[in-house]
Amino acid sequence: MRALLVVNPAATTTSARTRDVLIHALASEMKLEAITTEYRGHGRDLARRAAESGEIDLVVALGGDGTVNEVVNGLLHHGPEPEGLPRLAVVPGGSTNVFARALGIPNDAVEATGAILDALREQSERTVGLGLASGTPGTEDESVPSRWFTFCAGVGFDASVIGRVEQQRARGKRSTHALYVRQVMRQFLDDPHRRAGVISLERPGADPITDLALSIVCNTSPWSFLGNRPLYASPKASFDTGLDVLGLTKLSTPAVARYATQLLMSSPERGPHGKHATTLHDLTDFTLNSKVPLPFQMDGDHLGLRTSVTFTGVRRALRVIV
């Protein structure tokens, strides 16, 4: 088997020594080329070249969800073709690793490597659906390049929080769950749109859903983790269906306290709910529009401001080793 290992040297939960051990373990079972990323987007470029070469059977992403997202976008640069593209394997090295954990991959990098090698010997894989976000035709964002996401995207509040976290990390702060919680509180206090939402959701054959203050798009469940606790924003979301959406029309102090508690207590059977909550399941095509430019995130990566994003749920997009 010919394989490419894309290594993020800044992965927060793996040391250089651990990465060397993992590389040797993988190289003992396959013809492996390991390349360390050197700039933002390098993982995408490496995966794209691997897919276009026709010579690589497997691409392994060693890093967090951002590294996985780059690799997926490189593999799918010319569109989904599950049987014709290299398979993907993930060795989690980030602080949260939502995609890997949603697939049932151990959150420990060494254990995950062992599980991947076992899965390869047993030829165990699954084909997963993914989300695609594009600039909406006829809007100022129509020229924004399309991008795939593996587990979530969001316009507004959650993207603002991620932007704050990235600013703190740029100042040298470590990416921890406590850091995220602090930025959630600061965003809540500063958010100018939490009492009167400016986001609307439009989809074919249905009336628009308006005045959303928060919009989270999920491709799988859980949506995220707080430590070892899974958080289910859209419990029905699955790699085998389209996209799910959780929208909230009000982020007052009582509403946030209620929905935050529901999220912390959420389960595979029930997520946030109530008169200010909108939940939609298994959507294939829809658009989120905003009256003002709002932060946009995909797979925990802040991508700037948007006024309109069109989403597509694509079933059976990529083969993954599990």
Side-chain angles (χ1 to χ4, degrees):
M1 176 179 291
R2 297 159 299 179
L4 169 67
L5 174 64
V6 178
V7 182
N8 180 359
T12 55
T13 58
T14 58
S15 64
R17 178 176 295 180
T18 300
R19 291 192 288 271
D20 286 341
V21 170
L22 302 181
I23 290 171
H24 286 299
L26 292 168
S28 68
E29 299 284 339
M30 62 192 74
K31 185 177 180 180
L32 181 73
E33 180 183 13
I35 302 180
T36 299
T37 57
E38 299 177 355
Y39 54 87
R40 188 167 185 170
H42 195 185
R44 177 198 61 227
D45 296 341
L46 292 170
R48 177 182 175 181
R49 288 199 291 268
E52 291 175 343
S53 73
E55 299 177 353
I56 301 297
D57 304 300
L58 174 71
V59 176
V60 184
L62 170 52
D65 288 309
T67 302
V68 174
N69 181 277
E70 286 194 7
V71 168
V72 166
N73 275 277
L75 289 172
L76 298 182
H77 179 78
H78 298 290
E81 187 185 352
E83 301 306 318
L85 292 172
R87 291 169 293 171
L88 171 69
V90 179
V91 178
S95 58
T96 310
N97 309 305
V98 178
F99 181 67
R101 294 163 84 174
L103 287 168
I105 296 170
N107 198 38
D108 176 81
V110 176
E111 290 184 19
T113 301
I116 288 169
L117 292 174
D118 288 343
L120 288 169
R121 296 186 193 106
E122 298 167 5
Q123 298 184 343
S124 176
E125 63 180 55
R126 65 179 291 189
T127 303
V128 300
L130 298 171
L132 181 67
S134 309
T136 305
T139 72
E140 61 186 60
D141 293 323
E142 66 178 335
S143 62
V144 176
S146 298
R147 182 163 172 169
W148 297 88
F149 61 97
T150 64
F151 66 90
C152 84
V155 177
F157 186 90
D158 67 315
S160 299
V161 171
I162 288 171
R164 287 175 175 270
V165 170
E166 290 189 1
Q167 288 177 352
Q168 294 299 313
R169 293 188 65 184
R171 295 169 184 164
K173 298 290 182 65
R174 289 192 61 207
S175 178
T176 64
H177 297 292
L179 176 62
Y180 275 90
V181 171
R182 288 197 299 271
Q183 301 315 311
V184 167
M185 296 305 299
R186 288 172 181 170
Q187 181 60 35
F188 170 72
L189 295 174
D190 295 342
D191 197 308
H193 308 297
R194 64 186 179 89
R195 294 184 180 277
V198 295
I199 303 168
S200 63
L201 185 151
E202 299 179 9
R203 53 188 168 134
D207 293 333
I209 299 171
T210 61
D211 303 324
L212 297 175
L214 176 147
S215 56
I216 296 174
V217 181
C218 293
N219 184 52
T220 189
S221 187
W223 161 65
S224 190
F225 291 82
L226 186 62
N228 291 322
R229 179 187 290 275
L231 305 176
Y232 297 89
S234 296
K236 294 181 180 180
S238 166
F239 288 125
D240 298 319
T241 62
L243 301 174
D244 284 27
V245 178
L246 169 66
L248 301 179
T249 57
K250 194 174 185 180
L251 292 178
S252 63
T253 301
V256 167
R258 180 168 61 254
Y259 291 124
T261 300
Q262 290 178 353
L263 190 60
L264 289 171
M265 301 301 293
S266 60
S267 71
E269 288 73 41
R270 194 170 199 189
H273 54 277
K275 65 179 182 178
H276 300 299
T278 295
T279 56
L280 301 171
H281 174 58
D282 195 13
L283 302 184
T284 301
D285 298 284
F286 63 94
T287 298
L288 292 176
N289 294 307
S290 174
K291 297 175 183 177
V292 298
L294 290 178
F296 174 51
Q297 68 87 11
M298 295 174 66
D299 287 347
D301 190 6
H302 187 276
L303 299 178
L305 302 178
R306 300 285 190 274
T307 55
S308 184
V309 185
T310 293
F311 293 89
T312 306
V314 181
R315 288 177 171 83
R316 298 186 57 79
L318 189 66
R319 293 182 299 164
V320 183
I321 300 300
V322 292

